[in-house]
C-alpha cells in the first residue's frame, strides 16, 4: 500500500551540491523543501574525523562513499550493435552516494568554462567555415553566455572559499594567473594553495617553451575562511588524504561543509535519507509533475510525495533515467537522430604521463589532490585549430601531491605489478616520480547516448539506464595533440626517464578515469533540440527543474563542478524571482 503524504512546496530528488544550493535558496524565499536522498546522512564533524578519515583502504580502495551497485547500477556497451551488460563494480567513474554526493570525495578542481565554450558551435563555424563540423558531431551553443553566468560563478566561488590566482580581473590580464579565462569581477576568495615540487618544475619548463603556467584553481581554502552563509572552513593542511576521501578540516568544499550546516537548522527544510525515488508522477495534459514516489529503504514502505515544484538534483545517469521512466520529453533515437532525452552524452577525455627524476625529491605524500601547476594554452579556442584535423582541447597539469601509500606508487613502464622487483622499484621511485594529466573536451556525437535497457532492471524492477559510449576520432586526435605538447614540456624538465599514457582506442569502464559524465537532459533555446530551457526548467513540465551536469550540451575541457554550481544559483534566482510570481513556462517555445 502506498502512503500519500501532505503536499509540500518543493521536493528535491538528491542532496548533493545542486540539491543543497536549491534547497537553501528556496527556503530563504519562504518555501518548505523536502530533500530525498537514497544514501545515508553524512556529517563532517561526526563522520570525517581523525583517525578514521585517513583510511585509504576504506575510502579510496573499497569506495565506501560511492554508489551501491547491488541496488542500482547501469549497463554499458561501446557500440549500438552490442549487448550492454550491467556494471557490477564501478571503475571508470565514481558517483557518490549519501548526503553530499560526489561533492564529498572530489578532487575539488574548480573551473569556469571559457566565454567561447558557451557559444562553441557558432565560434567554430564563424572561425573555420559553415560546413567545418565533422559528420556526427552534435554540439550546440549554450542558451546562456559567460557574461550572464559570471555573477553566479562568483557566488559559487565565495560559497566554496575557492583558492587561486585571477588571470583576467575586470578585463585586465594578470601575469601568474590564467590569462585565457573570461573576465572576473573579483579575485578568488583565497590565495592559491601551494604548488607541488613537480608542479613548480613543470611551470619553469612551460615558461621556457613560451606557455603561461599558473596554479590550479581549487575549491579548497588555503586559509581559514568564513563563507557568505557564515559557515567557517578550515585551512588546507596538505595531509595527502584528499581524493576519494572527505576532508578532515572542512577546507575542501562540499555541500556538507558549506551549505548544510545552516540548511539543517532551517525549520522549512526536511531531509529524508535512505529514500529511493522510483518515479516522477507526470500529468502530461497539465505539463507538470504532480508528485514523487519513493521507497523507504529501511522498512520497504512506499510513499507518494506531492509537491508544487520538483527539483531533479541527482547524478547524471539518474536524472536521465527518471525522465525516461516518467515519459517526460521525447527519448533520443540514435537511428533517426530525433528526440532529446538521453542525447549528447559526453565523458571527459583524459590521458597522462609519468616522469622519473633520480636526483630530485618530490615529497609526494604531502599535499592535496588539486595541488598542481597548469597550462591552458591548448584549451577550447585558445589556439588555432586550422589544419589540425580536430576541434576541442584541454588543460595540461603537473602534480605529485597527495600520493597515499596504496595508490601513490608510480613506477616506470615495464615494472612487474607485484613481487621483489616491484618492491624495489617503488622504494626507488616513490620520492622521485612526477605525474601529469591532460584533460580534454568531448564534443558530443550522435553515437554516444543513454536510453533504458530492455533486459536488466534494478532492485525495484525499473529498467536500468543503458550507456552507449566510445570516443570518436576527433577526441583521440585532440588528446594526441595535448600529449605531444605535454611530452615537450616533460623533456624540458630533463627527467631520467618518462612514460606517456595515451587512452586506448576502445573505451573501457574498468580503470578509473574521471567522474565527469555530462549530457542527456541538455539545456537549449528550442524544445526540439533540448530538454530544459535556459533556466533549467523542463520544456514539457513547467514545475520541473533539472540540475547538474546532465544539462550540459557537451563537455568542455574543464571539470564540470564550477559550472554546475553556477547554473544552480542561476536557476534558483529564476525560480524565486520569476516562477513563484507566475508559475508556468519561463521561456515560451
Amino acid at each position: 500500500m502506498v502512503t500519500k503524504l501532505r503536499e509540500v512546496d518543493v521536493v528535491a530528488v538528491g542532496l548533493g551540491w545542486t540539491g543543497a544550493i536549491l534547497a537553501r535558496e528556496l527556503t530563504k524565499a519562504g518555501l518548505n523543501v523536502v530533500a530525498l536522498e537514497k544514501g545515508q546522512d553524512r556529517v563532517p564533524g561526526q563522520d570525517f574525523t581523525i583517525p578514521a578519515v585517513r583510511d585509504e583502504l576504506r575510502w579510496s580502495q573499497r569506495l565506501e562513499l560511492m554508489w551501491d551497485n547491488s541496488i542500482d547500477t547501469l549497463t554499458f556497451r561501446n557500440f549500438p550493435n552490442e549487448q550492454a551488460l550491467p556494471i557490477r563494480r564501478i571503475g571508470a567513474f565514481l558517483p557518490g552516494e549519501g548526503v553530499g554526493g560526489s561533492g564529498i570525495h572530489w578532487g575539488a578542481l574548480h573551473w569556469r568554462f571559457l566565454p567561447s565554450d558557451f557559444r562553441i558551435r557558432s565560434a567554430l563555424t564563424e572561425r573555420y567555415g559553415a560546413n567545418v563540423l565533422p559528420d556526427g558531431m552534435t554540439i550546440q551553443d549554450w542558451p546562456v553566455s559567460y557574461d550572464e553566468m559570471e555573477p553566479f560563478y562568483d557566488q559559487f566561488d565565495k560559497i566554496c572559499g575557492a583558492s587561486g590566482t585571477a588571470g583576467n580581473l575586470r578585463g585586465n590580464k594578470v601575469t601568474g594567473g590564467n590569462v585565457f579565462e573570461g573576465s572576473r569581477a573579483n579575485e578568488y576568495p583565497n590565495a592559491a594553495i601551494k604548488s607541488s615540487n613537480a608542479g613548480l618544475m613543470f611551470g619553469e619548463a612551460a615558461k621556457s617553451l613560451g606557455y603561461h603556467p599558473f596554479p590550479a584553481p581549487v575549491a579548497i581554502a588555503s586559509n581559514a575562511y568564513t563563507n557568505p552563509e557564515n559557515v567557517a572552513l578550515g585551512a588546507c593542511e596538505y595531509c595527502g588524504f584528499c581524493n576519494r576521501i572527505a576532508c578532515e578540516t572542512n577546507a575542501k568544499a562540499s555541500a556538507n561543509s558549506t551549505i548544510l550546516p545552516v540548511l539543517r537548522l532551517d525549520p522549512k527544510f526536511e531531509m529524508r535519507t535512505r529514500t529511493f525515488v522510483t518515479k516522477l508522477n507526470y500529468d502530461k495534459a497539465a505539463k507538470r509533475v504532480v508528485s514523487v514516489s519513493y521507497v523507504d529503504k529501511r522498512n520497504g514502505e512506499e510513499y507518494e510525495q506531492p509537491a508544487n515544484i520538483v527539483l531533479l538534483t541527482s547524478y547524471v545517469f539518474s536524472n536521465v533515467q527518471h525522465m525516461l521512466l516518467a515519459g517526460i520529453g521525447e527519448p533520443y533515437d540514435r537511428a533517426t537522430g530525433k528526440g532529446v532525452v538521453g542525447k549528447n552524452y559526453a565523458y571527459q577525455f583524459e590521458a597522462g604521463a609519468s616522469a622519473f627524476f633520480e636526483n630530485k625529491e618530490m615529497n609526494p605524500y604531502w599535499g592535496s589532490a588539486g595541488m598542481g601547476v597548469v597550462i591552458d594554452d591548448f584549451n577550447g579556442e585558445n589556439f588555432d585549430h586550422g589544419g589540425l584535423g580536430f576541434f576541442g582541447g584541454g588543460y595540461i597539469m603537473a602534480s605529485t601531491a597527495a600520493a597515499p601509500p596504496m595508490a601513490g606508487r608510480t613506477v616506470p613502464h615495464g615494472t612487474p605489478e607485484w613481487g621483489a622487483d616491484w618492491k624495489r622499484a617503488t622504494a626507488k621511485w616513490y620520492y622521485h616520480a612526477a605525474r601529469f594529466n591532460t584533460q580534454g573536451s568531448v564534443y558530443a556525437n550522435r553515437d554516444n547516448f543513454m536510453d533504458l535497457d530492455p533486459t536488466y532492471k534494478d532492485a525495484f524492477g525499473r529498467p536500468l539506464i543503458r550507456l552507449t559510449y566510445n570516443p570518436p576520432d576527433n577526441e583521440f586526435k585532440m588528446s594526441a595533440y595535448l600529449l605531444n605538447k605535454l611530452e615537450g614540456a616533460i623533456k624540458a624538465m630533463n627527467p631520467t626517464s618518462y612514460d606517456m599514457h595515451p587512452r586506448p582506442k576502445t573505451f573501457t569502464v574498468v580503470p578509473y578515469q574521471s567522474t565527469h559524465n555530462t549530457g542527456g537532459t541538455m539545456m537549449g533555446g528550442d524544445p526540439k533540440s533540448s530538454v530544459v530551457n535556459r533556466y533549467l526548467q523542463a520544456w514539457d513540465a513547467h514545475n520541473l527543474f533539472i540540475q547538474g551536469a546532465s544539462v550540459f550540451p557537451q563537455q568542455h575541457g574543464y571539470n564540470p563542478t564550477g559550472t554546475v554550481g553556477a547554473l544552480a544559483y542561476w536557476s534558483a534566482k529564476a525560480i524565486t524571482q520569476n516562477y513563484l510570481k507566475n508559475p508556468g513556462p519561463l521561456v515560451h517555445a
Side-chain angles (χ1 to χ4, degrees):
M1 179 179 176
V2 177
T3 301
K4 190 168 184 176
L5 303 172
R6 180 178 58 84
E7 185 176 75
V8 296
D9 295 326
V10 183
V11 62
V13 181
L15 190 56
W17 268 122
T18 60
I21 290 170
L22 268 293
R24 178 60 177 153
E25 295 305 297
L26 297 185
T27 54
K28 284 195 287 189
L31 301 182
N32 291 302
V33 179
V34 170
L36 304 174
E37 168 55 50
K38 70 179 181 180
Q40 69 187 68
D41 195 4
R42 300 191 189 278
V43 182
Q46 299 173 18
D47 299 310
F48 306 131
T49 57
I50 294 175
V53 72
R54 294 191 183 183
D55 188 337
E56 188 188 2
L57 180 63
R58 178 183 179 186
W59 305 112
S60 297
Q61 304 302 317
R62 293 177 176 166
L63 306 177
E64 286 196 21
L65 293 172
M66 317 308 174
W67 263 13
D68 182 351
N69 288 114
S70 68
I71 296 175
D72 189 25
T73 187
L74 65 153
T75 65
F76 172 78
R77 60 185 181 176
N78 290 114
F79 305 104
N81 62 349
E82 295 178 338
Q83 169 69 49
L85 296 173
I87 296 175
R88 299 300 187 188
R89 181 176 180 179
I90 51 178
F93 33 78
L94 301 174
E97 184 167 295
V99 172
S102 303
I104 294 177
H105 68 76
W106 68 319
L109 284 161
H110 191 80
W111 296 95
R112 301 179 175 194
F113 286 168
L114 297 166
S116 58
D117 288 340
F118 288 96
R119 55 185 308 275
I120 190 61
R121 189 178 185 94
S122 295
L124 293 180
T125 54
E126 289 168 5
R127 187 172 183 179
Y128 305 106
N131 300 315
V132 71
L133 298 182
D135 291 341
M137 186 179 283
T138 54
I139 58 173
Q140 298 181 183
D141 288 349
W142 295 62
V144 294
S145 68
Y146 174 84
D147 288 342
E148 287 177 304
M149 292 307 303
E150 200 283 331
F152 303 94
Y153 275 127
D154 186 69
Q155 186 175 6
F156 192 45
D157 286 351
K158 291 172 180 172
I159 287 292
C160 293
S163 300
T165 300
N168 185 346
L169 193 56
R170 292 182 285 277
N172 297 312
K173 298 298 178 73
V174 182
T175 301
N178 183 7
V179 295
F180 298 99
E181 69 177 347
S183 179
R184 294 172 164 272
N186 297 295
E187 180 58 272
Y188 282 91
N190 284 298
I193 63 172
K194 297 175 182 178
S195 296
S196 66
N197 289 356
L200 294 172
M201 291 165 57
F202 173 76
E204 290 302 313
K207 280 183 185 178
S208 73
L209 296 172
Y211 305 146
H212 303 81
F214 58 96
V218 290
I220 300 172
S222 59
N223 297 286
Y225 174 79
T226 301
N227 76 9
E229 293 286 2
N230 202 33
V231 176
L233 303 180
C236 180
E237 57 184 21
Y238 306 96
C239 68
F241 291 86
C242 193
N243 202 20
R244 302 191 189 183
I245 298 177
C247 182
E248 64 197 50
T249 64
N250 284 348
K252 183 173 71 170
S254 66
N256 312 61
S257 64
T258 60
I259 299 171
L260 281 165
V262 290
L263 187 58
R264 291 175 187 275
L265 302 176
D266 194 321
K268 294 185 177 298
F269 175 71
E270 180 186 352
M271 177 198 308
R272 298 177 194 161
T273 58
R274 300 189 184 276
T275 53
F276 193 101
V277 172
T278 55
K279 190 176 182 182
L280 307 183
N281 299 303
Y282 177 49
D283 184 338
K284 188 173 183 179
K287 282 198 167 186
R288 65 188 305 270
V289 177
V290 296
S291 62
V292 170
S293 295
Y294 69 89
V295 174
D296 189 323
K297 291 164 63 177
R298 291 163 293 194
N299 56 26
E301 296 291 328
E302 297 181 62
Y303 297 89
E304 181 183 351
Q305 179 61 71
N308 290 321
I309 296 174
V310 176
L311 307 173
L312 200 45
T313 52
S314 49
Y315 193 68
V316 169
F317 303 127
S318 298
N319 279 357
V320 176
Q321 185 183 33
H322 284 306
M323 294 293 285
L324 291 171
L325 290 172
I328 305 172
E330 183 179 359
Y332 174 64
D333 184 342
R334 177 257 179 193
T336 65
K338 295 181 180 179
V340 287
V341 182
K343 184 180 180 182
N344 277 28
Y345 170 78
Y347 181 56
Q348 197 95 62
F349 205 96
E350 299 192 17
S354 52
F356 304 90
F357 301 84
E358 199 158 17
N359 298 316
K360 292 177 180 170
E361 188 167 306
M362 301 298 176
N363 295 336
Y365 53 84
W366 173 87
S368 66
M371 191 172 104
V373 172
V374 182
I375 60 170
D376 214 26
D377 299 67
F378 306 105
N379 206 342
E381 280 302 292
N382 293 344
F383 63 107
D384 187 356
H385 290 76
L388 295 179
F390 70 87
F391 294 112
Y395 64 79
I396 301 172
M397 178 176 173
S399 176
T400 308
M406 293 180 188
R409 294 170 179 259
T410 303
V411 292
H413 178 72
T415 300
E417 295 184 1
W418 62 281
D421 288 343
W422 174 79
K423 290 180 180 179
R424 280 190 288 270
T426 57
K428 177 178 181 179
W429 294 114
Y430 178 77
Y431 291 96
H432 303 280
R435 299 188 305 275
F436 306 85
N437 191 39
T438 65
Q439 182 170 284
S441 57
V442 174
Y443 285 172
N445 186 278
R446 68 173 293 163
D447 291 332
N448 295 325
F449 61 96
M450 290 171 275
D451 62 0
L452 294 177
D453 193 282
T455 304
Y456 294 98
K457 294 178 169 54
D458 65 22
F460 299 94
R462 309 179 311 156
L464 295 178
I465 200 73
R466 178 171 64 178
L467 173 60
T468 303
Y469 173 71
N470 203 60
D473 285 343
N474 182 82
E475 273 58 56
F476 284 105
K477 292 176 181 177
M478 176 275 299
S479 183
Y481 184 84
L482 292 180
L483 284 174
N484 178 262
K485 298 299 182 182
L486 170 58
E487 185 172 15
I490 291 174
K491 288 180 178 178
M493 296 169 68
N494 195 28
T496 304
S497 65
Y498 67 91
D499 299 317
M500 306 303 295
H501 307 300
R503 281 269 288 270
K505 276 291 185 180
T506 301
F507 174 74
T508 170
V509 296
V510 176
Y512 182 75
Q513 288 144 74
S514 84
T515 307
H516 307 161
N517 299 278
T518 68
T521 66
M522 56 191 173
M523 62 191 299
D526 184 346
K528 293 180 181 179
S529 59
S530 58
V531 177
V532 298
N533 63 28
R534 71 197 308 262
Y535 301 112
L536 311 191
Q537 179 187 43
W539 291 107
D540 292 298
H542 68 78
N543 72 327
L544 175 64
F545 292 82
I546 306 176
Q547 309 293 323
S550 67
V551 306
F552 288 16
Q554 54 274 325
Q555 173 57 21
H556 300 281
Y558 298 117
N559 305 54
T561 307
T563 300
V564 164
L567 284 171
Y569 280 111
W570 158 266
S571 180
K573 182 178 180 181
I575 296 171
T576 56
Q577 296 193 3
N578 298 313
Y579 183 81
L580 294 181
K581 296 176 183 176
N582 185 24
L586 295 174
V587 177
H588 292 275

